[in-house]
Amino acid sequence: MFKPKLFVLLPELDRERLLKDITAGILVGIVALPLAIAFGIASGVSPEKGLITAVIGGFIVSLLGGSRVQIGGPTGAFIIIVYGIVQQYGINGLMLATIMAGVILIIMGVAQFGSLIKFIPYPVIVGFTSGIAVIIFSTQVKDFLGLDIENLPGDFIGKWGQYLSHLGTLHMPTLAIGFIALSIIIFWPKVSRKIPGSFIAILVTTAMVQLLHLNVATIETRFGEIPSTIPAPSIPEFDLSTIQNLIMPATTIAILAAIEALLSAVVSDGMIGGRHKSNMELIAQGAANIVSPLFGGIPVTGAIARTATNVKNGGRTPLSGIVHAITLLCIMLLFGSWAKLIPMSTLAAILIVVAWNMSEYHVFRQLLKSPRGDIIVLLTTFGLTVIFDLTIAIEVGLLLTVVLFMQHMAGIANVEIITRELKDREEDSNDPNAIVNRDVPDGVEVYEINGPFFFGAASKFKESMRIVENPPPVRILRMRNVPVIDATGLNMLKEMVADSSRTGTKLILSGVNPETLSTMRQYGITDEIGQENIVDHIDSALDRAKQLLDNSLSALKK
């Protein structure tokens, strides 16, 4: 379970496989170059930190991961949370939060939470992913248009207010370079899918800016030189109060990294017909997020687009991911000084395309045709991500999903006094166990609970009991359709047993499934009701009811 995929697949490596994986790794490294730089800048840190993340994080994810083809590195999903942490706590705070997230990820993997991540509701995932896409797009408008804005607000509404008020400062050469880059990225796949359009866009627009001496902002004018070395590792300063403040951001990074990595692994499994080890993948992601910030990196996760590129170019083992990291390292060491000439509007164009691909607009539009509860979760998560904060969006989205699910289950669960509705229940005649096909003695009332008997349905049960003015001598409670019962349901049954004892009503339970019966036994309800009054079928319940009525009649005669 905890053996990295690389070591499982080593015996399969032959000369042909090795060559294909090396080729795929080199191509993915070229694809990752502009993205790593762009994600670093958009996250509020210097460009080389994005490259370091792709090199260190990508290497560790492939070395220790549970997927054959996963490519690790910085992704657009982290831009919002990383930018916010940097603004509030600085680079040191980001390092701490990322390391804490790595520890959380390892704990999740060791505790085998990998399969649980898959149960996060789809509307929540699409909602915050689409929201992140909108945020990424909004952060790139300034650089794409070349607007002269010194201090850009961090919030979404404030950004767009500044954009609208500064439209008069639009810089045409910057816009032209950005538009050319965007056009190349969109149309280049029609020429070749081997070399990424983003890489061609960088080469073309950088050459244009330098040869034509255009006054366009570049990485150099914004950040200065790009270091061509990996810095020595350093441990961040920390204190208890900072750690406490960073618990929520770190948890958000961990959850986001887990979701992105496992989604990427699932997608790539479908492409190659493989099967990943989700818990091993979480441990690898955790290790990458612990080590990467020590060298100046930012959060790491599985990158779906780069992983898909790896698969399409023939990568089938983690070796291709390792080669991808080595390729980026070589580019950084040998050509890092050239990267400073890349125009900022070109990087903005790359991120605008990333945002468009992340938005999954077709999925978003399809989900708007879903049940009303899913639409509410989708729009709420999306809106909170865009307007407020990703952490709040995930928390509220999950909470809202749980509340709506409980409401739905409470709507399914119902309690019926079925002996009072025999004439109106002709449809039950098709059920061989229907009460309509049986002779119910006078003095016996039959109730039936349908659905999970949990706290959401307990109020319905209490309401049904309240409408009974004169308690019957015998009450049969059918529970054949109760799959689970929680503490509230158990307590409600306990109250019913006490009320029945007080009013002299005999209680019989019918058709209780073994799991529910075991729970009731542990709670002590079966002892209070009496084992003889808990039967497995409605016929047995009616026979027991007749016996109790006869016993009562005999007692009266005496």
Side-chain angles (χ1 to χ4, degrees):
M1 182 182 297
F2 296 112
K3 188 175 183 180
K5 206 75 168 181
L6 175 64
F7 300 102
V8 175
L9 297 174
L10 278 177
E12 296 182 15
L13 284 175
D14 53 28
R15 191 169 183 275
E16 182 182 359
R17 178 75 273 146
L18 195 63
L19 183 60
K20 287 184 178 179
D21 283 337
I22 291 174
T23 303
I26 292 172
L27 289 172
V28 176
I30 295 171
V31 172
L33 174 66
L35 293 174
I37 294 173
F39 289 143
I41 292 173
S43 298
V45 298
S46 52
E48 78 277 3
K49 294 188 184 301
L51 286 171
I52 292 169
T53 306
V55 172
I56 304 292
F59 181 85
I60 293 174
V61 166
S62 295
L63 180 68
L64 302 178
S67 169
R68 282 175 170 263
V69 292
Q70 182 85 278
I71 300 296
T75 69
F78 286 128
I79 288 176
I80 305 173
I81 186 72
V82 170
Y83 187 86
I85 294 173
V86 171
Q87 294 301 307
Q88 189 169 357
Y89 301 101
I91 296 297
N92 189 77
L94 176 61
M95 292 174 66
L96 269 177
T98 307
I99 293 171
M100 290 166 62
V103 173
I104 294 171
L105 281 164
I106 289 178
I107 292 172
M108 291 167 67
V110 172
Q112 301 183 37
F113 283 1
S115 57
L116 296 180
I117 297 294
K118 301 171 186 176
F119 292 106
I120 292 180
Y122 193 53
V124 174
I125 293 174
V126 174
F128 76 68
T129 302
S130 299
I132 289 169
V134 172
I135 293 293
I136 292 173
F137 171 76
S138 69
T139 60
Q140 300 309 305
V141 172
K142 172 180 176 289
D143 285 335
F144 189 79
L145 301 180
L147 300 180
D148 185 15
I149 304 174
E150 288 188 11
N151 297 312
L152 191 63
D155 64 292
F156 177 80
I157 296 175
K159 276 189 178 71
W160 282 97
Q162 287 291 303
Y163 293 154
L164 294 174
S165 63
H166 286 78
L167 277 178
T169 64
L170 186 147
H171 189 241
M172 288 307 298
T174 299
L175 176 60
I177 290 296
F179 183 78
I180 290 169
L182 189 62
S183 301
I184 291 172
I185 296 169
I186 293 172
F187 295 108
W188 179 257
K190 296 181 179 180
V191 178
S192 171
R193 291 187 175 272
K194 288 289 185 181
I195 308 282
S198 56
F199 185 72
I200 301 300
I202 284 179
L203 293 179
V204 172
T205 55
T206 301
M208 288 180 64
V209 169
Q210 296 303 312
L211 294 174
L212 299 177
H213 304 288
L214 298 178
N215 182 25
V216 171
T218 63
I219 291 177
E220 183 179 26
T221 61
R222 184 76 57 86
F223 299 97
E225 295 284 337
I226 295 181
S228 57
T229 58
I230 299 288
S234 62
I235 298 174
E237 299 177 4
F238 62 91
D239 55 70
L240 186 59
S241 62
T242 304
I243 291 175
Q244 289 175 335
N245 291 333
L246 289 171
I247 287 176
M248 280 310 300
T251 303
T252 303
I253 291 173
I255 293 174
L256 204 53
I259 293 172
E260 285 278 305
L262 295 183
L263 278 177
S264 177
V266 169
V267 170
S268 62
D269 281 350
M271 296 175 72
I272 64 174
R275 186 176 181 183
H276 72 280
K277 299 179 177 182
S278 56
N279 295 309
M280 191 65 240
E281 187 64 28
L282 289 180
I283 291 173
Q285 298 290 336
N289 279 287
I290 290 174
V291 177
S292 173
L294 299 179
F295 292 88
I298 59 179
V300 180
T301 188
I304 296 177
R306 276 159 275 172
T307 299
T309 302
N310 182 32
V311 172
K312 290 175 181 177
N313 285 284
R316 289 297 181 274
T317 75
L319 184 63
S320 59
I322 292 174
V323 172
H324 135 270
I326 295 173
T327 300
L328 277 172
L329 177 61
C330 292
I331 293 173
M332 183 177 178
L333 297 178
L334 299 176
F335 306 106
S337 58
W338 291 6
K340 66 184 180 183
L341 304 177
I342 299 173
M344 294 300 297
S345 56
T346 299
L347 294 178
I350 292 171
L351 286 175
I352 287 172
V353 174
V354 169
W356 174 256
N357 293 332
M358 276 187 69
S359 69
E360 296 186 307
Y361 70 95
H362 55 288
V363 178
F364 194 97
R365 186 172 57 191
Q366 188 67 32
L367 279 176
L368 291 176
K369 302 175 184 177
S370 302
R372 185 171 61 92
D374 290 331
I375 295 173
I376 292 172
V377 171
L378 173 70
L379 295 179
T380 300
T381 308
F382 174 78
L384 289 175
T385 301
V386 172
I387 304 299
F388 293 101
D389 179 72
L390 179 61
T391 307
I392 295 174
I394 294 177
E395 291 173 352
V396 174
L398 289 174
L399 179 62
L400 191 56
T401 301
V402 171
V403 170
L404 290 171
F405 176 76
M406 289 189 300
Q407 183 185 45
H408 178 63
M409 296 310 298
I412 292 175
N414 61 74
V415 182
E416 299 176 298
I417 313 175
I418 57 180
T419 52
R420 294 185 179 183
E421 303 171 3
L422 296 182
K423 294 181 182 179
D424 299 324
R425 296 181 62 84
E426 296 178 1
E427 69 277 5
D428 281 349
S429 61
N430 295 322
D431 179 3
N433 294 318
I435 197 70
V436 72
N437 298 322
R438 285 158 175 78
D439 180 26
V440 181
D442 291 336
V444 177
E445 280 193 351
V446 182
Y447 289 73
E448 181 159 7
I449 302 176
N450 292 301
F453 193 27
F454 71 121
F455 63 89
S459 60
K460 285 191 172 186
F461 182 84
K462 182 178 277 188
E463 186 66 28
S464 296
M465 295 298 102
R466 190 180 291 121
I467 66 175
V468 180
E469 296 178 1
N470 299 311
V474 179
R475 176 180 286 145
I476 297 174
L477 187 61
R478 299 189 76 179
M479 299 181 68
R480 57 179 178 161
N481 295 322
V482 178
V484 291
I485 185 170
D486 73 351
T488 307
L490 289 167
N491 188 64
M492 196 65 65
L493 277 180
K494 200 173 184 69
E495 290 181 8
M496 183 181 181
V497 172
D499 290 341
S500 297
S501 177
R502 190 164 49 251
T503 59
T505 298
K506 302 297 182 182
L507 182 63
I508 300 171
L509 301 185
S510 168
V512 185
N513 72 53
E515 184 179 347
T516 303
L517 184 60
S518 175
T519 305
M520 292 167 59
R521 188 176 290 114
Q522 292 177 10
Y523 204 71
I525 291 178
T526 54
D527 293 335
E528 296 183 22
I529 296 176
Q531 194 62 48
E532 68 279 7
N533 292 324
I534 302 175
V535 296
D536 59 357
H537 196 272
I538 186 60
D539 292 334
S540 301
L542 290 171
D543 291 340
R544 177 60 181 163
K546 291 174 184 176
Q547 183 183 355
L548 290 172
L549 288 174
D550 291 342
N551 292 342
S552 297
L553 186 60
S554 298
L556 287 174
K557 287 181 178 180
K558 291 180 181 179

